[in-house]
Amino acid sequence: MKTLKKESILHLMLLPGVIVTLIYAYGPMAGLIMAFQNFEPLSGFFKSEFVGWDNFKYVFELPDFTQVLWNTIIIAICKMVLFLLVPLILALLLNEITKQWFSRVIQSAIFLPFFLSWTILGGVIIELFSLNGPVNGVIESLGMEPIMFMLNNSWFRGIVIGSDVWKGMGYNMIVMLAAITGINSTLYEAAEVDGAGRWKQMLNITLPGMMPILVLLGVLSLGGILNAGFEQILIMYNPTVYQGGDIIDTFVYRLGMFSMQFGPAAAIGLFKSVVSLIMVSATYYLAYKYNDYRIF
Amino acid sequence: MKSFKPWKMLVLVMSMLLVITACGNQGSKDGAAPNSQGAGNKTNANSSTPPDPLGKYPEMVTVTEVLGYNPPEDSRTPQGITPEQNKYLEDLKEMLNIEIKYKWTVPQSQFEQKFSLAMASGDLPDIMELNMKDFEKLKKQGILGDLTEAYNDYASPALKKYMESDGGFAMSTFTSDGKLLAIPAFEDPFLSTQLLWIRKDWLDNLKLPVPTTMEELDKVALAFVNDDPDQNGKNDTYGISLQKTLFFWGFDLRGFFNGYNAYPSVGDNQTAWIKGDGDQLVPGLIQPEMKTALGKLQEWYKNGILDKEFALKDENKAVEDLTAGKVGISYGEWWYPNWPLNLNVDKDPKAEWIALQIPGLDGPGKSLVPKLRSNKLFVVNKSMKNPEAAIKMINFYIEMGYKKYKEDKGAEKGYVYNWFNPRIYNPADIETIYTEVNKALEANQEEITIDDENYTSVARVFDATKDYLAGNTEKASKGINWGQYYSRAAKDGGWGVTRTIKESGAYVNNEFYTLPTATQVEKGPQLDKLMQESFTKIIMGAPLDEFDKFVASWKSLGGDQITQEVNDWYSKEAVK
């Protein structure tokens, strides 16, 4: 009680932040009521008719929903795994480079695409993989048949996943490099004395030392199991690859924006959030149980 | 910690909060100002003076609008001009004391999204341009203002003449419970007739006859792919222009399907409704003729007549190919020469495009023509204080057609007509131009003599025609002059050919002309996705029997219900 009094002024200073969070993060949650209404924008939340679970039923019974859900999960999981693996390998490799300037240049080059928006990159990638694009140029010069990447369902998924990982891998790589730097250097010295080579050092010191950050990144990414990258896919897809590339977000977007079905769109949004919450809680629990790791 | 003065910190935080909130207030004040300004002067404008269609408000009236805009059509328009700088706005202010404030302006391609968002948030402007679907939605939500009184009191004689030119057919479609809710910008339905545009110089190069049947078109298109029609020694051409939306407003395949007696759509991705056996309407999209036509497209895709990557292309890419001389055949309406064919003519002086009635199975085919051509409606928000201002603005736009306004009000001065809303054309605009220009040409006149509100549009085409025929490129490039002439005035041009089709009765009507039914609104996008996905796949090589699957799914996903609703309407309310 005494400390509370002493720190009261500090708590007071926290207040604006709390209020803003309440208004902008928790306030809009009231809008979720839309998921249970036959929502008409101009009647608002109060006058729109309540329809219970009808919106959810409607959405789950849409013939395309299973396909869309499946696409989302496949794309999201592939992205999640690669977003851990690729940056990890990159970070470990970069760590082995002794020439400082060289490693810096590589780092920056890898990090750069992270800052470009999909609006630009999407167009670039479509051009790259088009029938007359450079990629097909190489394929043809090798004497093979050109491939219509962007119009082929299996290729399209691969390109979506690959390009997103390529674009975003720099971020996780930097985080992991930072984790490596944080490992106590005396451990390496001790290992050298014991006769461990670079490979053994990596396996027995670097990797275990990075474990907490790997778990953290993994846990945080699991919440996004139903986020497969809306902006990217919206820009890159076309009707021919709906079958393999249409994800929940693009589906909701078409449902909500073009046919103005706000109720069902909100219902899917709520569904996504609930799934995310479950995933995050579950992995958090597992990480705690098996790795004794906790974020909070 | 001893020197820490908590109250100082508190003051700092509070003052920062104050700044933030003050900024917020500022913003909303700015936003609210125009409305309150507009509200004040309605009463003194109305009560004292009798309604004058072009009366100037004593105090400035501000109306809000939103705008989706295409680039100016006329290449003489000053570079970099924005919708806010459109000279029409200046004149409007001067003549009527009405000021237009745009809540936002976006390129046309983003308009639908942006407007959906505005509808969702309820943040709508005073005057809106709607399509039928949005009209229905906003009507249902009771947001549309009643225009009956404003129209009766303020519509100029010209506007009334236009509106009654179809016997009040279009207006009655948008009247509900005796309230006029929209001014429809309807036009001659035959403006929607698809023609076949083809490079005559390529035909001549390859010594091929003008195609009149599908079989002949097939040969020509194949020759355009394989036989180097532009004679540049390179294999860089393909047959027929197409982009990813199969039923669109141009560079699409409506006319192609019509040639197979299949009538899938009028161009908005919704199906067209044609007369079946007996007194029933049937959806053209699922008729067996479609399957034959799709089979042909599949073949065309395989042998390179269609671009291998058409499914990735939008209309801009299609236009690029036309302009660059990569493709020599396209299905489109009367206005093609005006854009984009003029670009190709300017780029390649040898290019010569001609318009043909679409090829059919044996001899020329019948194009689909809607009963009512009115994709644009002008409505006012119920909350608008001066609904008559909307009518006055329409009067203003029509008035600008008189000869006395023509002096230095061209595109080169910054007048961009297609950015001005609300704008209503003479429904018989093109026909008037065609007859008047041809009359003047036959009489060897130097100038147009008519003096009514049609003057500007007739004179513009007449001048361009004169320049084109005399090879004069001082005022505009050859392509621009040719475009005006060949779309509107030439007897064998866009409207000329359309007229002969109209006269010879070589068309099929889309019988459904009213607002979309409830199920159409609800299931439309889903059915559209289904169609787009199935048809694209079939064209790109999926088994043709996919079409039968498509028909079954279309029916069960709401198609049957829509057919029922459409026929209910047809038997009860349609004017047959």
Side-chain angles (χ1 to χ4, degrees), chain A residues 153-280:
Chain A
N153 274 302
S154 29
W155 278 110
F156 181 76
R157 248 186 220 163
I159 289 173
V160 162
I161 295 166
S163 58
D164 195 37
V165 170
W166 168 75
K167 176 181 180 317
M169 61 192 179
Y171 186 81
N172 275 0
M173 181 191 74
I174 299 275
V175 174
M176 288 174 187
L177 273 176
I180 295 176
T181 328
I183 298 172
N184 192 341
S185 58
T186 51
L187 290 175
Y188 291 101
E189 284 159 22
E192 252 171 71
V193 173
D194 287 347
R198 300 295 279 179
W199 178 247
K200 285 274 179 202
Q201 285 178 28
M202 189 185 84
L203 279 187
N204 296 315
I205 303 171
T206 320
L207 269 181
M210 288 172 76
M211 224 42 206
I213 205 80
L214 288 180
V215 173
L216 172 72
L217 288 174
V219 168
L220 288 182
S221 72
L222 267 170
I225 181 121
L226 293 184
N227 287 330
F230 167 65
E231 206 190 25
Q232 178 197 14
I233 290 179
L234 185 72
I235 284 163
M236 289 174 40
Y237 79 162
N238 60 68
T240 330
V241 290
Y242 277 161
Q243 199 192 334
D246 201 13
I247 54 168
I248 293 185
D249 289 323
T250 47
F251 183 71
V252 173
Y253 172 78
R254 289 201 308 272
L255 201 68
M257 293 307 284
F258 288 106
S259 46
M260 308 273 288
Q261 301 190 48
F262 300 110
I268 301 185
L270 184 59
F271 167 71
K272 269 184 65 181
S273 309
V274 170
V275 171
S276 297
L277 184 71
I278 295 172
M279 291 306 287
V280 174

Side-chain angles (χ1 to χ4, degrees), chain B residues 335-576:
Chain B
W335 45 262
Y336 254 45
N338 212 39
W339 181 88
L341 300 186
N342 59 343
L343 302 175
N344 178 237
V345 169
D346 273 341
K347 193 152 187 263
D348 178 1
K350 278 182 292 178
E352 186 196 348
W353 289 88
I354 53 168
L356 301 175
Q357 183 177 348
I358 56 162
L361 289 176
D362 8 71
K366 296 176 172 180
S367 284
L368 185 71
V369 173
K371 269 252 159 112
L372 170 69
R373 177 174 154 112
S374 176
N375 284 326
K376 266 192 319 189
L377 310 164
F378 292 105
V379 304
V380 300
N381 201 321
K382 210 164 148 190
S383 68
M384 185 184 181
K385 297 287 191 295
N386 311 69
E388 78 287 347
I391 305 289
K392 282 180 156 185
M393 287 159 75
I394 298 173
N395 295 337
F396 160 81
Y397 181 77
I398 296 172
E399 176 77 8
M400 294 295 271
Y402 271 96
K403 186 180 182 182
K404 56 182 169 180
Y405 298 107
K406 202 210 165 200
E407 304 306 316
D408 36 75
K409 297 220 184 247
E412 64 277 10
K413 292 279 181 342
Y415 286 86
V416 187
Y417 81 95
N418 55 340
W419 289 353
F420 182 82
N421 267 347
R423 88 181 176 272
I424 297 280
Y425 300 118
N426 179 353
D429 192 28
I430 306 299
E431 177 65 18
T432 313
I433 292 172
Y434 179 86
T435 42
E436 290 296 332
V437 170
N438 277 307
K439 220 174 13 183
L441 281 179
E442 274 153 30
N444 255 325
Q445 278 168 230
E446 279 308 308
E447 242 182 87
I448 287 290
T449 45
I450 58 162
D451 187 30
D452 59 14
E453 77 282 356
N454 294 310
Y455 177 83
T456 312
S457 40
V458 175
R460 197 192 298 145
V461 177
F462 182 70
D463 293 349
T465 301
K466 280 285 214 191
D467 283 350
Y468 171 69
L469 295 176
N472 181 353
T473 51
E474 261 169 48
K475 275 183 270 171
S477 68
K478 178 188 167 200
I480 290 177
N481 286 335
W482 171 80
Q484 292 276 325
Y485 161 72
Y486 204 69
S487 60
R488 294 164 174 87
K491 293 207 163 123
D492 58 349
W495 185 244
V497 172
T498 309
R499 278 180 105 233
T500 28
I501 293 174
K502 186 177 180 175
E503 276 159 20
S504 65
Y507 60 89
V508 169
N509 263 134
N510 174 24
E511 300 285 339
F512 184 71
Y513 61 82
T514 187
L515 305 165
T517 69
T519 314
Q520 269 177 326
V521 173
E522 192 189 335
K523 301 278 165 87
Q526 213 180 313
L527 293 175
D528 177 31
K529 178 192 162 184
L530 179 73
M531 180 273 289
Q532 195 77 15
E533 203 178 349
S534 316
F535 286 11
T536 312
K537 277 191 180 157
I538 292 175
I539 295 175
M540 290 178 61
L544 199 51
D545 288 338
E546 287 280 318
F547 179 75
D548 302 324
K549 271 189 229 157
F550 159 76
V551 173
S553 324
W554 186 87
K555 284 180 160 183
S556 64
L557 284 175
D560 273 341
Q561 207 177 337
I562 294 175
T563 310
Q564 188 59 46
E565 288 169 354
V566 165
N567 275 300
D568 281 351
W569 166 85
Y570 187 64
S571 60
K572 277 182 218 132
E573 290 167 58
V575 181
K576 288 167 196 168

Side-chain angles (χ1 to χ4, degrees), chain A residues 37-194:
Chain A
Q37 284 179 332
N38 181 10
F39 183 72
E40 296 279 357
L42 294 148
S43 321
F45 298 123
F46 301 108
K47 288 187 198 144
S48 288
E49 173 201 3
F50 269 92
V51 292
W53 295 96
D54 277 9
N55 285 331
F56 291 87
K57 247 193 244 156
Y58 171 77
V59 170
F60 294 139
E61 277 167 11
L62 281 177
D64 304 324
F65 188 76
T66 347
Q67 177 74 44
V68 167
L69 184 68
W70 187 231
N71 287 344
T72 314
I73 292 176
I74 289 189
I75 293 177
I77 288 186
C78 287
K79 279 186 180 179
M80 264 158 28
V81 171
L82 289 176
F83 261 123
L84 281 182
L85 267 185
V86 177
L88 178 65
I89 293 170
L90 286 173
L92 291 175
L93 288 176
L94 269 177
N95 190 41
E96 298 303 314
I97 296 177
T98 41
K99 287 214 168 52
Q100 275 289 311
W101 65 268
F102 187 60
S103 118
R104 290 247 170 87
V105 169
I106 299 282
Q107 238 182 67
S108 314
I110 291 177
F111 202 17
L112 198 69
F114 179 79
F115 295 102
L116 295 175
S117 91
W118 272 119
T119 329
I120 299 164
L121 270 186
V124 172
I125 284 168
I126 291 177
E127 286 298 322
L128 274 178
F129 288 93
S130 78
L131 206 54
N132 303 316
V135 176
N136 267 316
V138 173
I139 291 178
E140 270 175 293
S141 71
L142 294 176
M144 286 182 280
E145 282 291 303
I147 302 166
M148 284 196 282
F149 292 102
M150 306 305 283
L151 291 173
N152 178 313
N153 274 302
S154 29
W155 278 110
F156 181 76
R157 248 186 220 163
I159 289 173
V160 162
I161 295 166
S163 58
D164 195 37
V165 170
W166 168 75
K167 176 181 180 317
M169 61 192 179
Y171 186 81
N172 275 0
M173 181 191 74
I174 299 275
V175 174
M176 288 174 187
L177 273 176
I180 295 176
T181 328
I183 298 172
N184 192 341
S185 58
T186 51
L187 290 175
Y188 291 101
E189 284 159 22
E192 252 171 71
V193 173
D194 287 347

